[in-house]
Amino acid sequence: MKAYNELSKKELQSLKKELEAEYEKVKEMGLKLDMSRGKPGKDQLDLSLPLLDALTSDSSFQCEAGVDVRNYGVLDGIPEIKRIISDLMGTTPDHMIVYGNSSLNIMYDTIARSEVFGVMGSTPWCKLDEPVKFLCPVPGYDRHFAITELFGIEMINIPMDENGPDMDMVERLVASDAQIKGIWCVPQYSNPAGICYSDEVVLRMANLQPAAEDFRIFWDNAYAIHHLYDDAKTILNIVEACEKSGHPDMYYEFCSTSKVTFPGAGVAAIIASPANIAEIKKQMTIQTIGHDKINQLRHAQYFKNADGVREHMKKQAALLRPKFEAVLSTLDQELSGLNVGSWVRPVGGYFISFMALPGCAKRIVALCKEAGVVMTGAGATYPYGKDPQDANIRIAPTFPSREELEKACRVFVLCVKLASVEKLLEE
Amino acid sequence: MKAYNELSKKELQSLKKELEAEYEKVKEMGLKLDMSRGKPGKDQLDLSLPLLDALTSDSSFQCEAGVDVRNYGVLDGIPEIKRIISDLMGTTPDHMIVYGNSSLNIMYDTIARSEVFGVMGSTPWCKLDEPVKFLCPVPGYDRHFAITELFGIEMINIPMDENGPDMDMVERLVASDAQIKGIWCVPQYSNPAGICYSDEVVLRMANLQPAAEDFRIFWDNAYAIHHLYDDAKTILNIVEACEKSGHPDMYYEFCSTSKVTFPGAGVAAIIASPANIAEIKKQMTIQTIGHDKINQLRHAQYFKNADGVREHMKKQAALLRPKFEAVLSTLDQELSGLNVGSWVRPVGGYFISFMALPGCAKRIVALCKEAGVVMTGAGATYPYGKDPQDANIRIAPTFPSREELEKACRVFVLCVKLASVEKLLEE
């Protein structure tokens, strides 16, 4: 098949007719498929079922802090779960607070605390005359952008390549503008591009010279252990990098077991310097008496140690790998050589990112929807929902069954073809 | 025994020597007892153990919303748990959001949201030129006061009697000062006085005419179903009272199962008008993807319905009643007629409130501590930790075993006597 941009107008018109006929047939099938959100599949949830039997009425409830986990006490997480998470994340328990079920909630809290109380003695952001700004590597995670938008924080797009954000731009901006207080990063298997930040990017990140003393790197390491293949490459450790660079307080790292055990019923943590941790605890001790220690102990007893989690993640990978490969192979087979888009081949995480021809993303998502396939809204991967190129589409292959996924992919590539032909005919 | 204030100086001096000798003996016992916090006892925690077996790996995880509780989805609580809690609290599910494990956290969130985003379109509190004020019926709950203090909210003491807060004062203040944005209430078995607000107080509360359109009654109904006796009297329903008075949005009610099942591992909820609920959800949908639905389903399956909870609370009462009665009977036996303090006889809740001679509370608590009995810090029941009379002491009888409690009470009454004699000798 020739590349679409090399086809004559006549060829495009005839192709369009074919594709439209095919599309009408698909619509008649009345599909109801969803590739919109990064939700685990039922098989993944079943994998974690034994967790629910790890703590029952005849268990011992004494945690290593000498406290009955069924009662009040222990603000920052029981020692057992802190040890497991800090081993996995390559840090130490004194760098960690374990929270409830949601790392997104910790990020929201971290922004809210900075807005109302400031950061280590800085002016509360809500008291500043000028709006606070955040750097947003794009495409990125819509829920990050929703938090900063809610607080009226101005978001600045930072382009990404296969090594991570454009660090020349990041360095220049943070050094010159004291209103820039943070940068959103998903450094390992980024959402949605699946990119792992290169060592150089992580080191340059840790060596930033921000004009704002209360600048922080918001390091959402959501997919730190979510490798699809055994020979996983992990990114440099931000804690060590920031300590070595002489900026030990410059990052907040976030993680959770939402995509390890159960979304909404796992445990989440913040990793930060002991000075940041002390600052956070001052507010947290007023905010809550403590998080769900029974669930923390349940997780600790089930996994026993970091290796227990790693073994579990291999089983998760075995379920996810074929789904990612199915999407990629459909894209390869159906779209390679057509010059109608590009895609990355992530080796972990939860998403595949598709770059359509400029101006086609919204149309593709709309066509998919009309044919019964829900995709993440076009634009969602950019601040304010505005993709300047209208090109990026996030594919979430985890939730549908393998069979549904294959159907949904067929619809997706058909819609990509149709929208691309429409676009080329406009030009 | 004569009342202490009727004793001659010489009699007091001789009594002081006796009491000091007794106190020295107690100190030698090296006690280590704790009546400081409202923590359930081990027997109460054991009572809820079957909850942990209510959901295991072979359970069904489909909730009535048609969602697998193990996955993302359902922001405001699964229908099963909403129904149980709204039945118990005398309201309907459309008046409710079920959160995570902590009602204190919901209260913090509610204040934080008002500070940053305002209330239904009002100016965010943090943007006001003048400080926001809250009315604080005293003695009250230290953790309420800690939240308002953290946000720099000015707290105004409101005296309480056996019917609740001084409503003349409350009505006058809220009508005249638009900076007054809220009042902290624990209306049923108040913390620490154990008072139930009279029908008149609740009705006057619902009929307040606040100068501030964003004034809210913070109705912490923490002990709504925590009766010690079968013939419990419950207070008027604030939801209905506010709806009838034409102020349907003027309250936020809070509740949790922290003292029903497990503190820190229960479920908590806010009850508010549908208009308030809609407002809260706008922010909440950015703050989190959802709370722990597995734990919500666990609770729903275990209790089945509101009657299941009520039966459970009768068993809790059977464990708590003898503890409350032990404290009260020691106070009666040892202090009646001495004119060294007064106490209320709560028929529910978690505390007994002791009013010592003015100027004696700190000394009593210090004496107790030296003898190995930890009490809630004197002053803690007042805003800023300042009891203007230095008289109130909160007794928390639930956590120690019956035997420990009796020992601790003996120490307490001895310290009351000694501190009172010291005080009378100063005069």
Side-chain angles (χ1 to χ4, degrees):
Chain A
M1 184 87 201
K2 265 190 357 194
Y4 280 18
N5 55 333
E6 289 167 10
L7 297 178
S8 69
K9 189 156 187 178
K10 208 174 153 191
E11 284 173 313
L12 282 170
Q13 276 162 340
S14 129
L15 178 58
K16 183 162 174 259
K17 269 192 193 148
E18 278 173 41
L19 292 168
E20 279 170 345
E22 203 181 328
Y23 182 71
E24 287 309 313
K25 269 194 223 152
V26 168
K27 274 210 290 187
E28 279 163 23
M29 292 165 69
L31 297 173
K32 237 186 132 175
L33 303 167
D34 192 334
M35 292 199 294
S36 73
R37 302 297 320 174
K39 288 167 73 167
K42 189 182 173 302
D43 51 355
Q44 291 178 270
L45 300 174
D46 288 344
L47 196 61
S48 299
L49 276 178
L51 172 69
L52 295 177
D53 306 327
L55 217 64
T56 52
S57 59
D58 53 358
S59 300
S60 160
F61 298 97
Q62 206 70 6
C63 74
E64 289 175 16
V67 165
D68 187 327
V69 295
R70 300 171 302 171
N71 219 327
Y72 291 116
V74 188
L75 183 65
D76 57 354
I78 64 171
E80 293 90 325
I81 195 73
K82 273 189 166 180
R83 189 168 54 238
I84 293 176
I85 301 177
S86 56
D87 281 357
L88 283 169
M89 304 301 289
T91 185
T92 51
D94 63 332
H95 282 69
M96 176 172 296
I97 298 172
V98 182
Y99 280 70
N101 70 329
S102 160
S103 60
L104 188 80
N105 201 170
I106 309 178
M107 294 178 231
Y108 177 97
D109 244 30
T110 305
I111 303 269
R113 189 178 54 251
S114 309
E115 286 279 341
V116 180
F117 305 111
V119 179
M120 286 191 184
S122 79
T123 306
W125 297 353
C126 74
K127 299 286 186 196
L128 295 170
D129 294 328
E130 297 292 308
V132 166
K133 299 173 192 167
F134 256 60
L135 303 185
C136 301
V138 287
Y141 179 31
D142 54 351
R143 290 189 186 270
H144 287 164
F145 305 150
I147 293 174
T148 23
E149 185 174 359
L150 183 71
F151 283 92
I153 292 172
E154 200 178 305
M155 294 180 277
I156 300 169
N157 291 3
I158 303 290
M160 297 237 286
D161 65 18
E162 69 278 12
N163 295 310
D166 177 341
M167 289 309 294
D168 289 343
M169 189 171 169
V170 171
E171 284 166 352
R172 187 166 39 79
L173 284 169
V174 302
S176 63
D177 187 347
Q179 290 302 113
I180 297 178
K181 305 292 190 189
I183 180 170
W184 285 120
C185 298
V186 182
Q188 172 108 26
Y189 310 131
S190 67
N191 177 352
I195 284 168
C196 294
Y197 288 15
S198 70
D199 292 356
E200 191 202 329
V201 164
V202 177
L203 290 173
R204 287 175 73 178
M205 202 66 85
N207 281 281
L208 286 174
Q209 304 291 338
E213 55 172 11
D214 51 354
F215 173 87
R216 293 289 184 273
I217 301 163
F218 284 66
W219 201 250
D220 181 2
N221 214 341
Y223 309 109
I225 54 172
H226 301 59
H227 315 295
L228 288 174
Y229 299 93
D230 283 346
D231 56 343
K233 178 196 174 306
T234 49
I235 56 162
L236 283 189
N237 187 319
I238 192 72
V239 181
E240 284 173 14
C242 282
E243 284 173 357
K244 275 185 198 153
S245 74
H247 298 129
D249 303 326
M250 201 168 62
Y251 68 93
Y252 300 121
E253 185 173 8
F254 307 93
C255 62
S256 84
T257 69
S258 288
K259 279 145 189 158
V260 175
T261 57
F262 300 122
V267 291
I270 192 169
I271 296 165
S273 67
N276 277 321
I277 294 286
E279 168 88 358
I280 295 168
K281 278 193 199 165
K282 272 195 288 180
Q283 169 253 349
M284 201 175 154
T285 189
I286 307 294
Q287 183 180 27
T288 189
I289 306 177
H291 296 289
D292 185 344
K293 297 187 300 297
I294 289 186
N295 203 34
Q296 291 176 7
L297 186 61
R298 183 180 287 124
H299 277 74
Q301 301 245 349
Y302 176 56
F303 287 123
K304 295 190 172 60
N305 52 42
D307 277 339
V309 182
R310 288 187 196 105
E311 281 310 305
H312 182 85
M313 292 312 287
K314 282 187 188 168
K315 294 178 198 158
Q316 293 275 17
L319 297 172
L320 288 181
R321 214 160 37 229
K323 291 188 176 179
F324 276 76
E325 288 172 354
V327 175
L328 291 169
S329 95
T330 306
L331 294 175
D332 289 345
Q333 284 165 27
E334 295 288 325
L335 301 180
S336 273
L338 300 187
N339 277 0
V340 293
S342 60
W343 51 96
V344 286
R345 314 188 75 80
V347 292
Y350 258 62
F351 303 103
I352 293 166
S353 180
F354 183 81
M355 292 301 282
L357 295 181
C360 285
K362 274 193 188 145
R363 177 65 180 152
I364 294 169
V365 171
L367 283 168
C368 284
K369 192 177 177 188
E370 212 183 317
V373 174
V374 181
M375 307 293 300
T376 308
T381 51
Y382 287 76
Y384 311 107
K386 286 182 196 156
D387 175 357
Q389 295 256 303
D390 185 26
N392 184 248
I393 298 173
R394 185 179 82 165
I395 301 172
T398 57
F399 185 64
S401 70
R402 177 77 186 272
E403 193 195 355
E404 290 172 333
L405 183 66
E406 283 176 0
K407 272 190 207 157
C409 279
R410 298 273 148 201
V411 177
F412 177 73
V413 293
L414 174 62
C415 296
V416 169
K417 288 177 187 173
L418 182 52
S420 304
V421 168
E422 288 172 355
K423 191 70 184 170
L424 290 164
L425 277 169
E426 280 173 23
E427 283 161 9
Chain B
M1 185 85 201
K2 266 186 4 191
Y4 279 18
N5 55 334
E6 288 167 11
L7 296 177
S8 70
K9 189 157 187 177
K10 208 175 151 190
E11 284 172 314
L12 282 170
Q13 276 163 341
S14 133
L15 177 59
K16 184 164 175 256
K17 268 194 193 146
E18 278 174 42
L19 292 168
E20 280 170 346
E22 204 182 329
Y23 182 70
E24 286 310 312
K25 268 194 224 151
V26 168
K27 274 210 292 188
E28 279 164 23
M29 291 163 69
L31 297 174
K32 236 186 132 175
L33 303 167
D34 193 334
M35 291 200 294
S36 72
R37 303 298 318 176
K39 288 166 73 166
K42 191 182 173 301
D43 50 356
Q44 290 179 267
L45 301 173
D46 288 345
L47 196 61
S48 298
L49 275 177
L51 172 69
L52 295 177
D53 305 327
L55 218 64
T56 53
S57 58
D58 52 359
S59 301
S60 160
F61 298 98
Q62 207 71 7
C63 75
E64 289 175 16
V67 166
D68 187 327
V69 295
R70 300 171 302 171
N71 218 328
Y72 291 117
V74 188
L75 183 64
D76 57 355
I78 63 171
E80 294 89 325
I81 196 73
K82 273 189 166 181
R83 190 169 51 239
I84 294 175
I85 301 177
S86 56
D87 281 357
L88 283 170
M89 304 300 290
T91 185
T92 51
D94 63 333
H95 282 69
M96 176 173 296
I97 298 172
V98 182
Y99 280 70
N101 70 329
S102 160
S103 59
L104 188 79
N105 200 169
I106 309 178
M107 294 178 231
Y108 176 97
D109 244 31
T110 305
I111 302 270
R113 190 179 53 251
S114 309
E115 287 279 341
V116 180
F117 305 112
V119 179
M120 286 192 184
S122 79
T123 307
W125 297 353
C126 74
K127 299 286 187 195
L128 295 171
D129 294 329
E130 297 291 309
V132 166
K133 299 173 193 167
F134 256 61
L135 304 185
C136 300
V138 288
Y141 181 29
D142 54 351
R143 290 189 186 271
H144 287 164
F145 304 151
I147 292 173
T148 23
E149 185 174 358
L150 183 71
F151 283 92
I153 292 172
E154 202 179 303
M155 294 179 276
I156 299 169
N157 291 2
I158 304 289
M160 297 236 287
D161 65 17
E162 69 279 13
N163 295 310
D166 177 341
M167 289 309 295
D168 290 343
M169 189 172 170
V170 171
E171 284 166 352
R172 186 166 39 79
L173 285 169
V174 302
S176 63
D177 187 347
Q179 289 301 112
I180 297 177
K181 304 294 190 189
I183 181 170
W184 284 121
C185 298
V186 182
Q188 172 109 26
Y189 310 131
S190 67
N191 177 351
I195 285 168
C196 294
Y197 287 15
S198 70
D199 292 355
E200 190 201 328
V201 164
V202 178
L203 291 174
R204 286 176 74 178
M205 202 67 85
N207 281 282
L208 286 174
Q209 304 292 338
E213 55 171 12
D214 51 354
F215 173 86
R216 294 288 183 273
I217 301 163
F218 284 66
W219 201 250
D220 182 3
N221 214 342
Y223 309 110
I225 55 172
H226 301 59
H227 315 296
L228 287 174
Y229 300 93
D230 283 346
D231 56 344
K233 176 193 177 307
T234 50
I235 55 161
L236 282 191
N237 187 320
I238 192 72
V239 181
E240 285 173 13
C242 282
E243 284 173 358
K244 276 186 200 155
S245 74
H247 298 130
D249 302 327
M250 200 168 62
Y251 69 94
Y252 299 122
E253 185 173 9
F254 308 93
C255 62
S256 84
T257 69
S258 288
K259 279 146 189 157
V260 175
T261 57
F262 300 122
V267 292
I270 192 171
I271 296 165
S273 67
N276 277 320
I277 294 286
E279 168 88 359
I280 295 168
K281 278 194 198 164
K282 273 195 286 181
Q283 169 253 352
M284 200 174 155
T285 189
I286 308 294
Q287 182 180 26
T288 189
I289 305 177
H291 295 289
D292 185 343
K293 296 187 300 298
I294 290 186
N295 203 33
Q296 291 176 7
L297 187 60
R298 183 180 286 122
H299 277 74
Q301 301 245 349
Y302 176 55
F303 287 123
K304 294 191 172 60
N305 51 43
D307 277 339
V309 182
R310 289 188 195 104
E311 282 309 306
H312 181 85
M313 291 313 286
K314 282 187 189 168
K315 294 180 197 157
Q316 293 275 18
L319 297 172
L320 288 180
R321 215 160 35 231
K323 291 188 177 180
F324 275 76
E325 288 172 355
V327 174
L328 291 169
S329 94
T330 305
L331 294 175
D332 289 345
Q333 283 165 29
E334 295 288 325
L335 301 180
S336 273
L338 300 187
N339 278 0
V340 294
S342 59
W343 52 95
V344 286
R345 314 188 76 81
V347 292
Y350 259 63
F351 302 103
I352 293 166
S353 182
F354 183 81
M355 292 302 281
L357 295 181
C360 285
K362 274 193 187 141
R363 176 66 179 151
I364 293 168
V365 170
L367 283 168
C368 284
K369 192 176 177 188
E370 212 183 318
V373 175
V374 181
M375 308 293 299
T376 308
T381 51
Y382 286 77
Y384 311 107
K386 285 182 198 155
D387 175 356
Q389 295 257 302
D390 185 27
N392 184 247
I393 298 173
R394 185 178 83 166
I395 302 172
T398 57
F399 185 63
S401 69
R402 177 78 186 274
E403 193 194 357
E404 289 171 333
L405 183 67
E406 282 175 1
K407 271 189 208 160
C409 280
R410 297 273 148 202
V411 177
F412 177 74
V413 293
L414 174 61
C415 296
V416 170
K417 288 178 187 173
L418 182 51
S420 304
V421 168
E422 287 173 356
K423 190 67 181 175
L424 290 164
L425 278 168
E426 279 174 22
E427 283 161 6

